[in-house]
Amino acid sequence: GEDVEQSLFLSVREGDSSVINCTYTDSSSTYLYWYKQEPGAGLQLLTYIFSNMDMKQDQRLTVLLNKKDKHLSLRIADTQTGDSAIYFCAAGFEGNAGKSTFGDGTTLTVKP
Amino acid sequence: EAGVVQSPRYKIIEKKQPVAFWCNPISGHNTLYWYRQNLGQGPELLIRYENEEAVDDSQLPKDRFSAERLKGVDSTLKIQPAELGDSAVYLCASSSRHRTTNNEQFFGPGTRLTVL
């Protein structure tokens, strides 16, 4: 089955850019998602990209997809302390009605 | 629009006791998911419902776990008897193919289970 991997920790200074990386194994993944989880809360979708795209920008967020290498990244520009959270990469499939496989999350710490 | 509601938020039980979690998805969402999230890990799917039908329960430990979604709306996940290794956060999520184009899942806050 699908395997999704992420680095576990990232620490940046406020105002810098953050880049969180993710790799997945199933090239038939149709949707690639980034979810954010704050302490004591469930996951919240931040952004997503279809597999036929290579980039998507949404305000401070930029998602890059290298389908050949099965590599996904999330760049957060001008990182703020409120961005401190756990970020999960997930891969989903068109034909499987929303079933997604999640990575183990990257804990982003933003230092003032 | 109300989000996914879960209760209780926290539960502490002794091993071998039964426990039940309840989830009310977003109104109109036909797909409901139960996940288990261990500390430091991502969510792992336990069961997925399309309306009242369980369409994917391959990861549900059926010897002790059970779930139901009788009227295709709210759902209950039960563990009987609970084991120490069941300590985790149990997340419920819902989605609707008819309302979004990206199969986005909406998550509840989870129930944190501690088995002593």
Side-chain angles (χ1 to χ4, degrees), chain A residues 31 33 35 37 40 42-43 45 48 50 88 96-100 102-104, chain B residues 9 33 35 37 40-43 48 50 56 101-105 107-109:
Chain A
Y31 304 99
Y33 307 92
Y35 284 85
Q37 186 177 35
L43 282 69
L45 183 69
Y48 67 96
F50 290 113
F88 291 91
N96 214 346
K99 179 173 181 175
S100 297
F102 290 80
D104 284 341
Chain B
R9 291 294 314 276
Y33 314 76
Y35 289 91
Q37 185 178 20
Q41 297 182 9
R48 175 166 61 98
E50 293 288 342
D56 184 353
T101 57
N102 63 0
N103 288 341
E104 175 185 356
Q105 295 182 33
F107 283 81

PDB file of all heavy atoms in Angstrom, chain A residues 31 33 35 37 40 42-43 45 48 50 88 96-100 102-104, chain B residues 9 33 35 37 40-43 48 50 56 101-105 107-109:
ATOM      1  N   TYR A  31      -4.631  13.031  -5.394  1.00  0.00           N
ATOM      2  CA  TYR A  31      -4.634  14.259  -4.597  1.00  0.00           C
ATOM      3  C   TYR A  31      -3.508  14.189  -3.573  1.00  0.00           C
ATOM      4  O   TYR A  31      -3.303  13.166  -2.935  1.00  0.00           O
ATOM      5  CB  TYR A  31      -5.946  14.409  -3.820  1.00  0.00           C
ATOM      6  CG  TYR A  31      -7.202  14.372  -4.642  1.00  0.00           C
ATOM      7  CD1 TYR A  31      -7.950  13.209  -4.739  1.00  0.00           C
ATOM      8  CD2 TYR A  31      -7.648  15.511  -5.306  1.00  0.00           C
ATOM      9  CE1 TYR A  31      -9.114  13.165  -5.484  1.00  0.00           C
ATOM     10  CE2 TYR A  31      -8.818  15.469  -6.053  1.00  0.00           C
ATOM     11  CZ  TYR A  31      -9.543  14.303  -6.141  1.00  0.00           C
ATOM     12  OH  TYR A  31     -10.690  14.269  -6.886  1.00  0.00           O
ATOM     13  N   TYR A  33      -2.290  16.301  -0.172  1.00  0.00           N
ATOM     14  CA  TYR A  33      -2.837  17.275   0.759  1.00  0.00           C
ATOM     15  C   TYR A  33      -1.796  17.682   1.801  1.00  0.00           C
ATOM     16  O   TYR A  33      -0.902  16.906   2.144  1.00  0.00           O
ATOM     17  CB  TYR A  33      -4.010  16.676   1.548  1.00  0.00           C
ATOM     18  CG  TYR A  33      -5.116  16.051   0.748  1.00  0.00           C
ATOM     19  CD1 TYR A  33      -5.091  14.702   0.443  1.00  0.00           C
ATOM     20  CD2 TYR A  33      -6.211  16.805   0.342  1.00  0.00           C
ATOM     21  CE1 TYR A  33      -6.132  14.103  -0.258  1.00  0.00           C
ATOM     22  CE2 TYR A  33      -7.262  16.214  -0.358  1.00  0.00           C
ATOM     23  CZ  TYR A  33      -7.208  14.866  -0.656  1.00  0.00           C
ATOM     24  OH  TYR A  33      -8.241  14.288  -1.351  1.00  0.00           O
ATOM     25  N   TYR A  35      -2.255  19.016   5.717  1.00  0.00           N
ATOM     26  CA  TYR A  35      -3.125  19.312   6.845  1.00  0.00           C
ATOM     27  C   TYR A  35      -2.292  19.903   7.979  1.00  0.00           C
ATOM     28  O   TYR A  35      -1.120  19.579   8.138  1.00  0.00           O
ATOM     29  CB  TYR A  35      -3.794  18.043   7.370  1.00  0.00           C
ATOM     30  CG  TYR A  35      -4.934  17.506   6.524  1.00  0.00           C
ATOM     31  CD1 TYR A  35      -4.685  16.666   5.443  1.00  0.00           C
ATOM     32  CD2 TYR A  35      -6.256  17.823   6.829  1.00  0.00           C
ATOM     33  CE1 TYR A  35      -5.735  16.157   4.680  1.00  0.00           C
ATOM     34  CE2 TYR A  35      -7.304  17.316   6.077  1.00  0.00           C
ATOM     35  CZ  TYR A  35      -7.034  16.487   5.004  1.00  0.00           C
ATOM     36  OH  TYR A  35      -8.079  15.985   4.256  1.00  0.00           O
ATOM     37  N   GLN A  37      -2.274  20.494  12.248  1.00  0.00           N
ATOM     38  CA  GLN A  37      -2.880  20.086  13.504  1.00  0.00           C
ATOM     39  C   GLN A  37      -2.289  20.895  14.644  1.00  0.00           C
ATOM     40  O   GLN A  37      -1.085  20.841  14.889  1.00  0.00           O
ATOM     41  CB  GLN A  37      -2.678  18.588  13.771  1.00  0.00           C
ATOM     42  CG  GLN A  37      -3.422  18.092  15.011  1.00  0.00           C
ATOM     43  CD  GLN A  37      -3.277  16.594  15.223  1.00  0.00           C
ATOM     44  OE1 GLN A  37      -2.243  16.012  14.944  1.00  0.00           O
ATOM     45  NE2 GLN A  37      -4.347  15.954  15.707  1.00  0.00           N
ATOM     46  N   GLY A  40      -4.310  19.600  20.716  1.00  0.00           N
ATOM     47  CA  GLY A  40      -5.654  19.297  21.205  1.00  0.00           C
ATOM     48  C   GLY A  40      -6.746  19.419  20.167  1.00  0.00           C
ATOM     49  O   GLY A  40      -7.931  19.359  20.511  1.00  0.00           O
ATOM     50  N   GLY A  42      -8.242  18.566  15.971  1.00  0.00           N
ATOM     51  CA  GLY A  42      -8.163  17.659  14.840  1.00  0.00           C
ATOM     52  C   GLY A  42      -7.363  18.281  13.707  1.00  0.00           C
ATOM     53  O   GLY A  42      -6.821  19.377  13.835  1.00  0.00           O
ATOM     54  N   LEU A  43      -7.276  17.584  12.605  1.00  0.00           N
ATOM     55  CA  LEU A  43      -6.526  18.083  11.453  1.00  0.00           C
ATOM     56  C   LEU A  43      -7.396  19.025  10.628  1.00  0.00           C
ATOM     57  O   LEU A  43      -8.603  18.818  10.484  1.00  0.00           O
ATOM     58  CB  LEU A  43      -6.069  16.918  10.563  1.00  0.00           C
ATOM     59  CG  LEU A  43      -4.863  16.120  11.022  1.00  0.00           C
ATOM     60  CD1 LEU A  43      -5.157  15.312  12.260  1.00  0.00           C
ATOM     61  CD2 LEU A  43      -4.373  15.216   9.895  1.00  0.00           C
ATOM     62  N   LEU A  45      -7.497  20.987   6.820  1.00  0.00           N
ATOM     63  CA  LEU A  45      -6.871  21.072   5.499  1.00  0.00           C
ATOM     64  C   LEU A  45      -6.329  22.479   5.274  1.00  0.00           C
ATOM     65  O   LEU A  45      -7.031  23.470   5.412  1.00  0.00           O
ATOM     66  CB  LEU A  45      -7.878  20.733   4.405  1.00  0.00           C
ATOM     67  CG  LEU A  45      -7.307  20.726   2.987  1.00  0.00           C
ATOM     68  CD1 LEU A  45      -6.349  19.558   2.806  1.00  0.00           C
ATOM     69  CD2 LEU A  45      -8.424  20.663   1.947  1.00  0.00           C
ATOM     70  N   TYR A  48      -4.124  21.750  -1.049  1.00  0.00           N
ATOM     71  CA  TYR A  48      -3.985  20.472  -1.733  1.00  0.00           C
ATOM     72  C   TYR A  48      -3.546  20.760  -3.163  1.00  0.00           C
ATOM     73  O   TYR A  48      -3.599  21.898  -3.638  1.00  0.00           O
ATOM     74  CB  TYR A  48      -5.312  19.710  -1.739  1.00  0.00           C
ATOM     75  CG  TYR A  48      -6.369  20.382  -2.587  1.00  0.00           C
ATOM     76  CD1 TYR A  48      -6.593  19.986  -3.910  1.00  0.00           C
ATOM     77  CD2 TYR A  48      -7.120  21.436  -2.080  1.00  0.00           C
ATOM     78  CE1 TYR A  48      -7.535  20.623  -4.696  1.00  0.00           C
ATOM     79  CE2 TYR A  48      -8.065  22.078  -2.857  1.00  0.00           C
ATOM     80  CZ  TYR A  48      -8.275  21.674  -4.158  1.00  0.00           C
ATOM     81  OH  TYR A  48      -9.214  22.313  -4.937  1.00  0.00           O
ATOM     82  N   PHE A  50      -3.629  18.731  -7.180  1.00  0.00           N
ATOM     83  CA  PHE A  50      -3.926  17.579  -8.015  1.00  0.00           C
ATOM     84  C   PHE A  50      -2.618  17.053  -8.602  1.00  0.00           C
ATOM     85  O   PHE A  50      -1.682  17.817  -8.853  1.00  0.00           O
ATOM     86  CB  PHE A  50      -4.881  17.948  -9.146  1.00  0.00           C
ATOM     87  CG  PHE A  50      -6.275  18.240  -8.679  1.00  0.00           C
ATOM     88  CD1 PHE A  50      -6.787  19.530  -8.783  1.00  0.00           C
ATOM     89  CD2 PHE A  50      -7.088  17.253  -8.160  1.00  0.00           C
ATOM     90  CE1 PHE A  50      -8.075  19.819  -8.361  1.00  0.00           C
ATOM     91  CE2 PHE A  50      -8.373  17.536  -7.737  1.00  0.00           C
ATOM     92  CZ  PHE A  50      -8.861  18.821  -7.840  1.00  0.00           C
ATOM     93  N   PHE A  88       0.828  17.633   8.380  1.00  0.00           N
ATOM     94  CA  PHE A  88       0.727  16.284   7.834  1.00  0.00           C
ATOM     95  C   PHE A  88       0.567  16.328   6.324  1.00  0.00           C
ATOM     96  O   PHE A  88      -0.275  17.068   5.798  1.00  0.00           O
ATOM     97  CB  PHE A  88      -0.478  15.542   8.422  1.00  0.00           C
ATOM     98  CG  PHE A  88      -0.328  15.195   9.870  1.00  0.00           C
ATOM     99  CD1 PHE A  88      -0.778  16.064  10.854  1.00  0.00           C
ATOM    100  CD2 PHE A  88       0.270  14.012  10.258  1.00  0.00           C
ATOM    101  CE1 PHE A  88      -0.648  15.758  12.197  1.00  0.00           C
ATOM    102  CE2 PHE A  88       0.417  13.688  11.598  1.00  0.00           C
ATOM    103  CZ  PHE A  88      -0.036  14.560  12.571  1.00  0.00           C
ATOM    104  N   ASN A  96     -11.174   6.128  -4.918  1.00  0.00           N
ATOM    105  CA  ASN A  96     -11.398   5.504  -3.613  1.00  0.00           C
ATOM    106  C   ASN A  96     -12.042   6.466  -2.633  1.00  0.00           C
ATOM    107  O   ASN A  96     -11.727   6.448  -1.452  1.00  0.00           O
ATOM    108  CB  ASN A  96     -10.081   4.985  -3.056  1.00  0.00           C
ATOM    109  CG  ASN A  96     -10.283   3.705  -2.261  1.00  0.00           C
ATOM    110  OD1 ASN A  96     -11.415   3.341  -1.914  1.00  0.00           O
ATOM    111  ND2 ASN A  96      -9.204   3.035  -1.953  1.00  0.00           N
ATOM    112  N   ALA A  97     -12.874   7.340  -3.167  1.00  0.00           N
ATOM    113  CA  ALA A  97     -13.772   8.196  -2.400  1.00  0.00           C
ATOM    114  C   ALA A  97     -13.152   8.767  -1.136  1.00  0.00           C
ATOM    115  O   ALA A  97     -13.667   8.558  -0.046  1.00  0.00           O
ATOM    116  CB  ALA A  97     -15.045   7.444  -2.074  1.00  0.00           C
ATOM    117  N   GLY A  98     -12.063   9.453  -1.239  1.00  0.00           N
ATOM    118  CA  GLY A  98     -11.545  10.181  -0.096  1.00  0.00           C
ATOM    119  C   GLY A  98     -10.598   9.419   0.790  1.00  0.00           C
ATOM    120  O   GLY A  98     -10.146   9.943   1.789  1.00  0.00           O
ATOM    121  N   LYS A  99     -10.288   8.169   0.492  1.00  0.00           N
ATOM    122  CA  LYS A  99      -9.342   7.461   1.344  1.00  0.00           C
ATOM    123  C   LYS A  99      -7.965   8.081   1.174  1.00  0.00           C
ATOM    124  O   LYS A  99      -7.476   8.240   0.064  1.00  0.00           O
ATOM    125  CB  LYS A  99      -9.286   5.979   0.975  1.00  0.00           C
ATOM    126  CG  LYS A  99      -8.296   5.188   1.814  1.00  0.00           C
ATOM    127  CD  LYS A  99      -8.388   3.706   1.534  1.00  0.00           C
ATOM    128  CE  LYS A  99      -7.403   2.943   2.398  1.00  0.00           C
ATOM    129  NZ  LYS A  99      -7.548   1.478   2.237  1.00  0.00           N
ATOM    130  N   SER A 100      -7.339   8.445   2.267  1.00  0.00           N
ATOM    131  CA  SER A 100      -6.033   9.064   2.230  1.00  0.00           C
ATOM    132  C   SER A 100      -5.096   8.353   3.178  1.00  0.00           C
ATOM    133  O   SER A 100      -5.514   7.853   4.215  1.00  0.00           O
ATOM    134  CB  SER A 100      -6.131  10.541   2.640  1.00  0.00           C
ATOM    135  OG  SER A 100      -6.922  11.280   1.743  1.00  0.00           O
ATOM    136  N   PHE A 102      -1.749   9.079   5.489  1.00  0.00           N
ATOM    137  CA  PHE A 102      -1.085  10.215   6.112  1.00  0.00           C
ATOM    138  C   PHE A 102       0.353   9.876   6.501  1.00  0.00           C
ATOM    139  O   PHE A 102       0.654   8.737   6.887  1.00  0.00           O
ATOM    140  CB  PHE A 102      -1.832  10.629   7.380  1.00  0.00           C
ATOM    141  CG  PHE A 102      -3.174  11.248   7.126  1.00  0.00           C
ATOM    142  CD1 PHE A 102      -4.280  10.466   6.860  1.00  0.00           C
ATOM    143  CD2 PHE A 102      -3.331  12.626   7.144  1.00  0.00           C
ATOM    144  CE1 PHE A 102      -5.522  11.033   6.607  1.00  0.00           C
ATOM    145  CE2 PHE A 102      -4.565  13.205   6.908  1.00  0.00           C
ATOM    146  CZ  PHE A 102      -5.662  12.407   6.637  1.00  0.00           C
ATOM    147  N   GLY A 103       1.213  10.887   6.422  1.00  0.00           N
ATOM    148  CA  GLY A 103       2.540  10.766   6.994  1.00  0.00           C
ATOM    149  C   GLY A 103       2.467  10.936   8.510  1.00  0.00           C
ATOM    150  O   GLY A 103       1.387  11.166   9.061  1.00  0.00           O
ATOM    151  N   ASP A 104       3.625  10.862   9.167  1.00  0.00           N
ATOM    152  CA  ASP A 104       3.652  10.971  10.621  1.00  0.00           C
ATOM    153  C   ASP A 104       3.740  12.410  11.120  1.00  0.00           C
ATOM    154  O   ASP A 104       3.795  12.637  12.319  1.00  0.00           O
ATOM    155  CB  ASP A 104       4.808  10.145  11.187  1.00  0.00           C
ATOM    156  CG  ASP A 104       4.500   8.658  11.182  1.00  0.00           C
ATOM    157  OD1 ASP A 104       3.302   8.295  11.096  1.00  0.00           O
ATOM    158  OD2 ASP A 104       5.445   7.855  11.252  1.00  0.00           O
TER     159      ASP A 104
ATOM    160  N   ARG B   9     -14.364  14.117  24.964  1.00  0.00           N
ATOM    161  CA  ARG B   9     -13.064  14.615  24.511  1.00  0.00           C
ATOM    162  C   ARG B   9     -11.942  13.836  25.150  1.00  0.00           C
ATOM    163  O   ARG B   9     -10.884  13.646  24.553  1.00  0.00           O
ATOM    164  CB  ARG B   9     -12.906  16.097  24.852  1.00  0.00           C
ATOM    165  CG  ARG B   9     -13.807  17.029  24.056  1.00  0.00           C
ATOM    166  CD  ARG B   9     -13.437  17.031  22.556  1.00  0.00           C
ATOM    167  NE  ARG B   9     -12.013  17.151  22.318  1.00  0.00           N
ATOM    168  CZ  ARG B   9     -11.336  18.285  22.282  1.00  0.00           C
ATOM    169  NH1 ARG B   9     -11.971  19.424  22.462  1.00  0.00           N
ATOM    170  NH2 ARG B   9     -10.028  18.301  22.067  1.00  0.00           N
ATOM    171  N   TYR B  33     -15.313   8.648   8.583  1.00  0.00           N
ATOM    172  CA  TYR B  33     -14.090   7.902   8.848  1.00  0.00           C
ATOM    173  C   TYR B  33     -13.803   7.889  10.353  1.00  0.00           C
ATOM    174  O   TYR B  33     -14.007   8.889  11.034  1.00  0.00           O
ATOM    175  CB  TYR B  33     -12.875   8.574   8.181  1.00  0.00           C
ATOM    176  CG  TYR B  33     -13.049   9.019   6.759  1.00  0.00           C
ATOM    177  CD1 TYR B  33     -13.765  10.166   6.449  1.00  0.00           C
ATOM    178  CD2 TYR B  33     -12.455   8.319   5.722  1.00  0.00           C
ATOM    179  CE1 TYR B  33     -13.904  10.602   5.148  1.00  0.00           C
ATOM    180  CE2 TYR B  33     -12.575   8.746   4.410  1.00  0.00           C
ATOM    181  CZ  TYR B  33     -13.313   9.892   4.128  1.00  0.00           C
ATOM    182  OH  TYR B  33     -13.438  10.316   2.832  1.00  0.00           O
ATOM    183  N   TYR B  35     -10.388   7.226  12.637  1.00  0.00           N
ATOM    184  CA  TYR B  35      -8.952   7.046  12.611  1.00  0.00           C
ATOM    185  C   TYR B  35      -8.441   6.860  14.048  1.00  0.00           C
ATOM    186  O   TYR B  35      -9.012   7.373  15.009  1.00  0.00           O
ATOM    187  CB  TYR B  35      -8.242   8.301  12.056  1.00  0.00           C
ATOM    188  CG  TYR B  35      -8.404   8.568  10.593  1.00  0.00           C
ATOM    189  CD1 TYR B  35      -9.451   9.359  10.119  1.00  0.00           C
ATOM    190  CD2 TYR B  35      -7.493   8.062   9.668  1.00  0.00           C
ATOM    191  CE1 TYR B  35      -9.581   9.629   8.765  1.00  0.00           C
ATOM    192  CE2 TYR B  35      -7.615   8.332   8.316  1.00  0.00           C
ATOM    193  CZ  TYR B  35      -8.669   9.122   7.875  1.00  0.00           C
ATOM    194  OH  TYR B  35      -8.791   9.391   6.543  1.00  0.00           O
ATOM    195  N   GLN B  37      -4.934   7.788  16.097  1.00  0.00           N
ATOM    196  CA  GLN B  37      -3.673   8.509  15.995  1.00  0.00           C
ATOM    197  C   GLN B  37      -2.847   8.244  17.260  1.00  0.00           C
ATOM    198  O   GLN B  37      -3.176   8.722  18.346  1.00  0.00           O
ATOM    199  CB  GLN B  37      -3.910  10.016  15.819  1.00  0.00           C
ATOM    200  CG  GLN B  37      -2.631  10.798  15.582  1.00  0.00           C
ATOM    201  CD  GLN B  37      -2.857  12.285  15.367  1.00  0.00           C
ATOM    202  OE1 GLN B  37      -3.889  12.847  15.739  1.00  0.00           O
ATOM    203  NE2 GLN B  37      -1.904  12.946  14.746  1.00  0.00           N
ATOM    204  N   GLY B  40       2.792  10.962  18.239  1.00  0.00           N
ATOM    205  CA  GLY B  40       3.915  11.164  17.325  1.00  0.00           C
ATOM    206  C   GLY B  40       3.724  10.548  15.952  1.00  0.00           C
ATOM    207  O   GLY B  40       4.670  10.475  15.169  1.00  0.00           O
ATOM    208  N   GLN B  41       2.509  10.123  15.647  1.00  0.00           N
ATOM    209  CA  GLN B  41       2.245   9.507  14.348  1.00  0.00           C
ATOM    210  C   GLN B  41       1.052  10.170  13.662  1.00  0.00           C
ATOM    211  O   GLN B  41       0.311  10.943  14.272  1.00  0.00           O
ATOM    212  CB  GLN B  41       1.984   8.015  14.519  1.00  0.00           C
ATOM    213  CG  GLN B  41       3.186   7.257  15.071  1.00  0.00           C
ATOM    214  CD  GLN B  41       2.910   5.767  15.177  1.00  0.00           C
ATOM    215  OE1 GLN B  41       1.899   5.270  14.705  1.00  0.00           O
ATOM    216  NE2 GLN B  41       3.823   5.055  15.797  1.00  0.00           N
ATOM    217  N   GLY B  42       0.887   9.850  12.396  1.00  0.00           N
ATOM    218  CA  GLY B  42      -0.256  10.349  11.658  1.00  0.00           C
ATOM    219  C   GLY B  42      -1.480   9.479  11.886  1.00  0.00           C
ATOM    220  O   GLY B  42      -1.379   8.387  12.459  1.00  0.00           O
ATOM    221  N   PRO B  43      -2.627   9.946  11.464  1.00  0.00           N
ATOM    222  CA  PRO B  43      -3.849   9.150  11.624  1.00  0.00           C
ATOM    223  C   PRO B  43      -3.800   7.881  10.783  1.00  0.00           C
ATOM    224  O   PRO B  43      -3.344   7.900   9.637  1.00  0.00           O
ATOM    225  CB  PRO B  43      -4.954  10.091  11.114  1.00  0.00           C
ATOM    226  CG  PRO B  43      -4.352  11.454  11.096  1.00  0.00           C
ATOM    227  CD  PRO B  43      -2.908  11.265  10.870  1.00  0.00           C
ATOM    228  N   ARG B  48     -14.186   3.124   7.280  1.00  0.00           N
ATOM    229  CA  ARG B  48     -14.795   4.178   6.468  1.00  0.00           C
ATOM    230  C   ARG B  48     -16.203   3.752   6.083  1.00  0.00           C
ATOM    231  O   ARG B  48     -16.414   2.616   5.644  1.00  0.00           O
ATOM    232  CB  ARG B  48     -13.967   4.442   5.215  1.00  0.00           C
ATOM    233  CG  ARG B  48     -14.583   5.442   4.248  1.00  0.00           C
ATOM    234  CD  ARG B  48     -13.550   5.884   3.219  1.00  0.00           C
ATOM    235  NE  ARG B  48     -13.059   4.785   2.412  1.00  0.00           N
ATOM    236  CZ  ARG B  48     -13.503   4.480   1.203  1.00  0.00           C
ATOM    237  NH1 ARG B  48     -14.496   5.170   0.676  1.00  0.00           N
ATOM    238  NH2 ARG B  48     -12.970   3.488   0.524  1.00  0.00           N
ATOM    239  N   GLU B  50     -19.698   4.698   3.829  1.00  0.00           N
ATOM    240  CA  GLU B  50     -20.437   5.442   2.823  1.00  0.00           C
ATOM    241  C   GLU B  50     -21.905   5.289   3.207  1.00  0.00           C
ATOM    242  O   GLU B  50     -22.475   4.207   3.093  1.00  0.00           O
ATOM    243  CB  GLU B  50     -20.196   4.886   1.418  1.00  0.00           C
ATOM    244  CG  GLU B  50     -18.802   5.070   0.906  1.00  0.00           C
ATOM    245  CD  GLU B  50     -18.480   6.522   0.540  1.00  0.00           C
ATOM    246  OE1 GLU B  50     -19.422   7.319   0.362  1.00  0.00           O
ATOM    247  OE2 GLU B  50     -17.289   6.843   0.453  1.00  0.00           O
ATOM    248  N   ASP B  56     -14.818   0.072   4.031  1.00  0.00           N
ATOM    249  CA  ASP B  56     -13.410  -0.267   4.252  1.00  0.00           C
ATOM    250  C   ASP B  56     -13.182  -0.435   5.735  1.00  0.00           C
ATOM    251  O   ASP B  56     -13.080   0.552   6.462  1.00  0.00           O
ATOM    252  CB  ASP B  56     -12.491   0.814   3.675  1.00  0.00           C
ATOM    253  CG  ASP B  56     -11.010   0.455   3.789  1.00  0.00           C
ATOM    254  OD1 ASP B  56     -10.683  -0.568   4.426  1.00  0.00           O
ATOM    255  OD2 ASP B  56     -10.184   1.203   3.258  1.00  0.00           O
ATOM    256  N   THR B 101     -14.506  19.148  -4.599  1.00  0.00           N
ATOM    257  CA  THR B 101     -13.909  18.472  -5.749  1.00  0.00           C
ATOM    258  C   THR B 101     -12.602  17.792  -5.388  1.00  0.00           C
ATOM    259  O   THR B 101     -11.980  17.161  -6.219  1.00  0.00           O
ATOM    260  CB  THR B 101     -13.641  19.478  -6.877  1.00  0.00           C
ATOM    261  OG1 THR B 101     -12.792  20.507  -6.374  1.00  0.00           O
ATOM    262  CG2 THR B 101     -14.946  20.085  -7.385  1.00  0.00           C
ATOM    263  N   ASN B 102     -12.187  17.923  -4.127  1.00  0.00           N
ATOM    264  CA  ASN B 102     -10.867  17.404  -3.768  1.00  0.00           C
ATOM    265  C   ASN B 102     -10.913  16.339  -2.681  1.00  0.00           C
ATOM    266  O   ASN B 102      -9.899  15.991  -2.121  1.00  0.00           O
ATOM    267  CB  ASN B 102      -9.984  18.564  -3.288  1.00  0.00           C
ATOM    268  CG  ASN B 102     -10.536  19.222  -2.035  1.00  0.00           C
ATOM    269  OD1 ASN B 102     -11.577  18.825  -1.515  1.00  0.00           O
ATOM    270  ND2 ASN B 102      -9.849  20.234  -1.542  1.00  0.00           N
ATOM    271  N   ASN B 103     -12.109  15.793  -2.393  1.00  0.00           N
ATOM    272  CA  ASN B 103     -12.253  14.769  -1.363  1.00  0.00           C
ATOM    273  C   ASN B 103     -11.706  15.214  -0.008  1.00  0.00           C
ATOM    274  O   ASN B 103     -11.208  14.398   0.760  1.00  0.00           O
ATOM    275  CB  ASN B 103     -11.567  13.459  -1.783  1.00  0.00           C
ATOM    276  CG  ASN B 103     -12.333  12.748  -2.876  1.00  0.00           C
ATOM    277  OD1 ASN B 103     -13.510  13.003  -3.084  1.00  0.00           O
ATOM    278  ND2 ASN B 103     -11.660  11.873  -3.582  1.00  0.00           N
ATOM    279  N   GLU B 104     -11.793  16.507   0.270  1.00  0.00           N
ATOM    280  CA  GLU B 104     -11.302  17.018   1.544  1.00  0.00           C
ATOM    281  C   GLU B 104     -12.034  16.367   2.700  1.00  0.00           C
ATOM    282  O   GLU B 104     -13.255  16.214   2.679  1.00  0.00           O
ATOM    283  CB  GLU B 104     -11.503  18.540   1.613  1.00  0.00           C
ATOM    284  CG  GLU B 104     -11.140  19.155   2.948  1.00  0.00           C
ATOM    285  CD  GLU B 104     -11.474  20.622   3.010  1.00  0.00           C
ATOM    286  OE1 GLU B 104     -11.909  21.173   1.988  1.00  0.00           O
ATOM    287  OE2 GLU B 104     -11.301  21.217   4.096  1.00  0.00           O
ATOM    288  N   GLN B 105     -11.272  16.004   3.718  1.00  0.00           N
ATOM    289  CA  GLN B 105     -11.861  15.456   4.931  1.00  0.00           C
ATOM    290  C   GLN B 105     -11.881  16.525   6.015  1.00  0.00           C
ATOM    291  O   GLN B 105     -10.914  17.271   6.183  1.00  0.00           O
ATOM    292  CB  GLN B 105     -11.057  14.250   5.417  1.00  0.00           C
ATOM    293  CG  GLN B 105     -11.096  13.083   4.447  1.00  0.00           C
ATOM    294  CD  GLN B 105     -10.354  11.874   4.936  1.00  0.00           C
ATOM    295  OE1 GLN B 105     -10.302  11.607   6.139  1.00  0.00           O
ATOM    296  NE2 GLN B 105      -9.786  11.125   4.012  1.00  0.00           N
ATOM    297  N   PHE B 107     -12.143  17.092  10.017  1.00  0.00           N
ATOM    298  CA  PHE B 107     -11.872  16.317  11.217  1.00  0.00           C
ATOM    299  C   PHE B 107     -12.524  16.921  12.450  1.00  0.00           C
ATOM    300  O   PHE B 107     -12.598  18.154  12.600  1.00  0.00           O
ATOM    301  CB  PHE B 107     -10.359  16.228  11.464  1.00  0.00           C
ATOM    302  CG  PHE B 107      -9.657  15.259  10.579  1.00  0.00           C
ATOM    303  CD1 PHE B 107      -9.300  15.606   9.290  1.00  0.00           C
ATOM    304  CD2 PHE B 107      -9.346  13.987  11.029  1.00  0.00           C
ATOM    305  CE1 PHE B 107      -8.641  14.698   8.464  1.00  0.00           C
ATOM    306  CE2 PHE B 107      -8.688  13.078  10.225  1.00  0.00           C
ATOM    307  CZ  PHE B 107      -8.340  13.428   8.938  1.00  0.00           C
ATOM    308  N   GLY B 108     -12.948  16.041  13.355  1.00  0.00           N
ATOM    309  CA  GLY B 108     -13.348  16.476  14.676  1.00  0.00           C
ATOM    310  C   GLY B 108     -12.123  16.644  15.565  1.00  0.00           C
ATOM    311  O   GLY B 108     -11.002  16.341  15.143  1.00  0.00           O
ATOM    312  N   PRO B 109     -12.328  17.105  16.806  1.00  0.00           N
ATOM    313  CA  PRO B 109     -11.197  17.354  17.709  1.00  0.00           C
ATOM    314  C   PRO B 109     -10.586  16.088  18.289  1.00  0.00           C
ATOM    315  O   PRO B 109      -9.489  16.125  18.843  1.00  0.00           O
ATOM    316  CB  PRO B 109     -11.811  18.213  18.807  1.00  0.00           C
ATOM    317  CG  PRO B 109     -13.248  17.805  18.820  1.00  0.00           C
ATOM    318  CD  PRO B 109     -13.607  17.501  17.403  1.00  0.00           C
TER     319      PRO B 109
END
